[in-house]
């Protein structure tokens, strides 16, 4: 449908940024372009701030945050940051000066305020701003390539005057990201130059990377719109992982599904130059693979393996369960609140609907709630005597919370600069999660006699933030955003492993696995029970005869083993199925 991607078809500006949902192939594409440009004689710096980055594995070289020259690729230097470590160091630089001077509850609240994804992103921006704003770097390298670009939310916050004040010590609206710029006044001019360079189309190109999936295209469209609002207009769109050939039932379903999805391209992406990259049967690891990734001359090693041979390799070592086993366990343990949790696009909604339906058929009264559009949920599953459903409108809940917070800020005579900053803070992912969580709490509060299955769960960070904010409010009685009683009643229930369980949903791939691992750490930190990991959309479980998909099935093995180890053997596997499974057909996911 679209032209195949070729480096010669894009304008090679000084700075190239790659952005998109986790798992779409940003690192593979950025790395391959870096290698090919370096091979052509260009001096290249490749910089990654992706928390799930596997650049060290890709290049089979130990990396650091200063830059390592790659022996097997002349002219290529790579800097690989650890955003989590950077965020921890940054957090301590902000909170450290107040230790011993403020009550412990206040310190705990400040620490949790700075534990969210926004702080990680600011810490990442702090790292790579040195590369995009450094004249010496610009002189030394022909191109600086960034794997993972900053979001529009981060860039807008950097431009707000109140971001550079000690606002965190003066205001606690109970949300998420206030104060992540505290103590960085000396970086202000560097950040401004970095933002200016990002918006300069003669210097910077933004490459939006997606997959032929509705969620990935929607994320690319949202990102494109946000960045255009900030004057970053030099954008192109690359759709990675497009299946070009089909010869069995599974490959035919995938081919038809991606064709339908791309035919409904979001309006905001239609004006961009768009290119395709074919689905590869292998993991993109090693310089040789990177050199051939974009030219179609890849070695399809392993594609002749028989499906039975692939399966025997795994089954000799581990035994994976079915989703039906998970449902039986939830039923027998009498859980009252069940969350499905994982990165976007792993199938949380469909799995939540399947579990809700299965529990209702066992005679339990179930309420299923989601943040997916209500109409979509009704197409997936129907209400019954034992199954009720509700839809939480994220935008509506966020607006309601926004109005409450801003109203209280104005009552406290906050300055217009601080009002602007609060408004930007309210755009953050953490704040939206809190607003939605309040709505979830109200539903659970009304449903004492039902099992409540919740799609799109709050992270452990959100729950700890609500707790620390509540404690902080006891110390400083000038809070601007109260924690509702329904949330206070729910928080103890969430920590009761006899009442609540989180199901972690992943794919047998690197990025979903690492994202799920971070969620697991969050949950452990918050003291929330999680037993089962569910691997969705598995090629390994599908018995495909398509040679390309069989090789992908083989590549899933390492991730299935990792997940089985981290879950202590509590792993369920669901085979790949078309996205339109609904009604009674959902039972196909159970076994």
């Amino acid at each position: 449908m679209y032209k195949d991607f070729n480096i010669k078809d894009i304008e090679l500006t000084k700075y190239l940024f790659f952005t998109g949902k986790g798992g779409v192939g940003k690192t593979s594409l950025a790395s391959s372009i870096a290698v090919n440009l370096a091979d052509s004689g260009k001096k290249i710096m490749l910089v990654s701030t992706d928390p799930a980055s596997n650049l060290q594995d890709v290049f089979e070289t130990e990396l650091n945050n200063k830059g390592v020259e790659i022996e097997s690729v002349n002219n290529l230097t790579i800097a690989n940051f650890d955003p989590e470590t950077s965020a921890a160091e940054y957090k301590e630089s902000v909170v450290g000066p107040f230790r011993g001077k403020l009550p412990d509850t206040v310190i705990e609240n400040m620490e949790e305020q700075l534990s969210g994804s926004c702080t990680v992103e600011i810490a990442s921006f702090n790292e790579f701003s040195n590369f995009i704003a450094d004249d010496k770097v610009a002189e030394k390298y022909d191109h600086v390539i960034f794997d993972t670009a900053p979001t529009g939310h981060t860039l807008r916050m950097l431009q707000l005057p109140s971001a550079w004040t000690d606002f965190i010590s003066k205001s606690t609206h109970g949300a998420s990201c206030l104060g992540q710029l505290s103590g960085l006044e000396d970086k202000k001019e560097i950040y401004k130059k970095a933002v200016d360079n990002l918006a300069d189309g003669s210097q910077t190109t933004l490459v939006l990377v997606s997959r032929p999936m509705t969620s990935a295209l929607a994320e690319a469209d949202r990102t494109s719109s946000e960045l255009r609002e900030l004057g970053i207009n030099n954008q192109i769109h690359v759709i990675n992982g497009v299946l070009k050939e089909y010869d069995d039932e599974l490959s035919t379903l995938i081919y038809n599904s991606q064709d339908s999805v791309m035919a409904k391209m979001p309006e905001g992406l239609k004006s961009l130059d768009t290119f395709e990259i074919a689905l590869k049967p292998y993991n993109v690891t090693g310089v040789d693979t990177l050199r051939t990734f974009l030219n179609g001359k890849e070695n399809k090693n392993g594609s002749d393996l028989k499906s039975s041979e692939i399966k025997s390799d795994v089954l000799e070592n581990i035994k994976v369960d079915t989703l039906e086993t998970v449902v039986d366990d939830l039923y027998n343990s009498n859980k009252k609140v069940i969350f499905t949790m994982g990165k976007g696009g792993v199938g949380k909604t469909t799995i939540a609907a399947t579990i809700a339906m299965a529990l209702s058929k066992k005679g339990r009264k179930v309420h299923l709630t989601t943040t997916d559009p209500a109409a979509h949920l009704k197409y997936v599953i129907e209400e019954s005597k034992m199954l009720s459903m509700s839809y939480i409108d994220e935008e509506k809940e966020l607006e309601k919370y926004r109005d409450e917070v801003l109203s209280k800020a104005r009552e406290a005579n906050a300055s217009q600069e601080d009002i602007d900053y609060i408004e930007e803070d309210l755009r953050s992912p953490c704040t939206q999660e809190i607003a939605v969580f309040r709505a979830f709490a109200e539903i659970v509060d009304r449903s004492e006699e039902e099992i409540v299955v919740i799609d799109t769960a709050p992270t452990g960070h959100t729950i700890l933030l609500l707790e620390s904010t509540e404690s902080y409010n006891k110390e400083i009685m000038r809070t601007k955003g109260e924690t509702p009683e329904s949330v206070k009643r729910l928080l103890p229930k969430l920590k009761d492993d006899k009442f609540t369980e989180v199901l972690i949903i992943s794919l047998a791939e690197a990025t979903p696995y690492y994202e799920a691992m971070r969620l697991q750490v969050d949950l452990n930190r918050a003291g929330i029970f999680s037993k089962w990991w569910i691997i969705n959309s598995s090629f390994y479980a599908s018995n495909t005869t398509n040679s390309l998909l069989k090789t992908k099935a083989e590549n899933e093995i390492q991730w299935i083993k990792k997940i089985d180890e981290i879950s202590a053997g509590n792993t369920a596997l669901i085979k790949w199925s078309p996205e339109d499974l609904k009604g009674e057909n959902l039972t196909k996911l159970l076994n």
Side-chain angles (χ1 to χ4, degrees), residues 81-377:
F81 299 124
D82 179 357
E84 300 291 343
T85 300
S86 299
E89 293 173 352
Y90 167 55
K91 180 169 69 172
E92 184 57 31
S93 73
V94 175
V95 178
F98 297 99
R99 295 189 190 280
K101 299 177 182 178
L102 295 176
D104 288 346
T105 51
V106 178
I107 295 297
E108 289 172 6
N109 185 74
M110 292 176 68
E111 287 181 326
E112 197 54 47
Q113 288 272 5
L114 293 165
S115 293
S117 58
C118 300
T119 301
V120 173
E121 189 165 355
I122 287 291
S124 297
F125 191 86
N126 184 45
E127 294 276 17
F128 72 60
S129 62
N130 294 324
F131 287 89
I132 192 172
D134 191 323
D135 292 335
K136 292 181 180 178
V137 170
E139 291 174 7
K140 184 175 181 180
Y141 297 100
D142 295 302
H143 302 287
V144 183
I145 299 174
F146 295 91
D147 171 25
T148 302
T151 65
H153 163 65
T154 297
L155 296 176
R156 282 192 304 269
M157 189 164 280
L158 288 167
Q159 295 172 323
L160 289 169
S162 280
W164 306 100
T165 70
D166 57 350
F167 191 64
I168 189 173
S169 65
K170 299 176 181 176
S171 175
T172 57
H173 70 65
S176 56
C177 300
L178 290 177
Q180 62 271 62
L181 292 172
S182 298
L184 289 181
E185 179 69 31
D186 59 330
K187 298 282 189 177
K188 186 174 181 179
E189 290 306 313
I190 294 176
Y191 285 3
K192 182 180 184 303
K193 184 175 181 179
V195 173
D196 289 345
N197 285 348
L198 271 170
D200 184 347
S202 67
Q203 293 196 72
T204 299
T205 300
L206 217 300
V207 183
L208 300 160
V209 186
S210 70
R211 292 245 181 197
M213 300 168 58
T214 300
S215 59
L217 291 173
E219 176 73 8
D221 183 45
R222 182 194 63 77
T223 301
S224 176
S225 176
E226 277 196 351
L227 295 174
R228 279 199 300 269
E229 288 177 6
L230 293 166
I232 302 175
N233 298 307
N234 192 14
Q235 304 175 15
I236 65 171
H237 180 208
V238 178
I239 306 174
N240 188 28
V242 179
L243 184 65
K244 298 290 189 177
E245 299 178 358
Y246 55 94
D247 55 15
D248 71 347
E249 182 181 4
L250 179 63
S251 57
T252 301
L253 284 170
I254 293 175
Y255 184 88
N256 291 336
S257 173
Q258 69 182 22
D259 195 48
S260 174
V261 167
M262 289 195 292
K264 301 172 184 176
M265 184 72 66
E267 288 298 321
L269 298 178
K270 289 182 178 179
S271 62
L272 300 180
D273 288 337
T274 298
F275 306 90
E276 291 182 2
I277 296 176
L279 181 67
K280 308 299 182 184
Y282 51 81
N283 290 324
V284 183
T285 301
V287 171
D288 290 341
T289 304
L290 290 169
R291 285 192 167 110
T292 60
F293 178 67
L294 296 175
N295 63 22
K297 298 178 181 178
E298 60 269 3
N299 173 18
K300 298 181 180 180
N301 182 36
S303 62
D304 58 344
L305 282 177
K306 296 178 181 178
S307 180
S308 60
E309 292 174 341
I310 295 171
K311 282 200 163 190
S312 64
D313 177 66
V314 176
L315 294 179
E316 287 178 1
N317 298 286
I318 64 173
K319 176 185 177 299
V320 292
D321 289 295
T322 64
L323 185 59
E324 186 172 29
T325 304
V326 177
V327 171
D328 289 341
D329 189 48
L330 294 169
Y331 176 82
N332 293 330
S333 59
N334 198 31
K335 292 297 189 298
K336 301 296 290 183
V337 177
I338 300 165
F339 290 114
T340 55
M341 194 172 197
K343 70 179 291 297
V346 297
K348 296 187 297 294
T349 301
T350 303
I351 292 174
T354 303
I355 290 170
M357 183 179 71
L359 288 171
S360 70
K361 287 188 173 184
K362 286 178 174 288
R364 295 288 175 86
K365 195 171 183 182
V366 181
H367 184 78
L368 171 64
T369 188
T370 182
T371 55
D372 267 10
H376 172 69
L377 189 60

Side-chain angles (χ1 to χ4, degrees), residues 498-537:
K498 294 181 176 59
F499 191 89
T500 297
E501 182 165 342
V502 172
L503 306 176
I504 296 180
I505 318 298
S506 184
L507 303 177
E509 299 174 8
T511 302
Y513 165 77
Y514 287 120
E515 181 78 6
M517 280 292 295
R518 286 194 292 277
L519 293 174
Q520 180 76 78
V521 170
D522 246 358
L523 294 173
N524 292 343
R525 192 160 54 101
I528 300 171
F529 180 67
S530 175
K531 175 180 178 180
W532 289 97
W533 280 57
I534 300 170
I535 303 171
N536 194 25
S537 300

Side-chain angles (χ1 to χ4, degrees), residues 420-525:
D420 290 343
Y421 187 39
I422 293 174
E423 287 184 323
E424 182 53 47
D425 184 64
L426 289 166
R427 295 179 187 240
S428 76
C430 307
T431 306
Q432 181 163 312
E433 198 173 68
I434 284 178
V436 171
F437 185 53
R438 284 154 52 112
F440 279 140
E442 291 173 9
I443 289 173
V444 174
D445 206 36
R446 296 197 314 262
S447 306
E448 286 292 322
E449 304 304 316
E450 298 177 307
I451 295 175
V452 179
V453 180
I454 300 176
D455 168 42
T456 309
T459 64
H461 164 63
T462 297
I463 293 163
L464 282 170
L465 183 60
L466 287 164
E467 283 194 322
S468 63
T469 299
E470 185 179 350
S471 299
Y472 195 16
N473 291 346
K474 294 175 184 177
E475 292 286 335
I476 302 177
M477 303 302 294
R478 53 188 177 82
T479 185
K480 296 176 176 62
E482 289 88 0
T483 305
E485 290 300 317
S486 58
V487 171
K488 294 178 183 178
R489 284 192 292 269
L490 182 59
L491 287 173
K493 294 178 182 178
L494 294 182
K495 293 175 178 289
D496 183 351
D497 60 5
K498 294 181 176 59
F499 191 89
T500 297
E501 182 165 342
V502 172
L503 306 176
I504 296 180
I505 318 298
S506 184
L507 303 177
E509 299 174 8
T511 302
Y513 165 77
Y514 287 120
E515 181 78 6
M517 280 292 295
R518 286 194 292 277
L519 293 174
Q520 180 76 78
V521 170
D522 246 358
L523 294 173
N524 292 343
R525 192 160 54 101

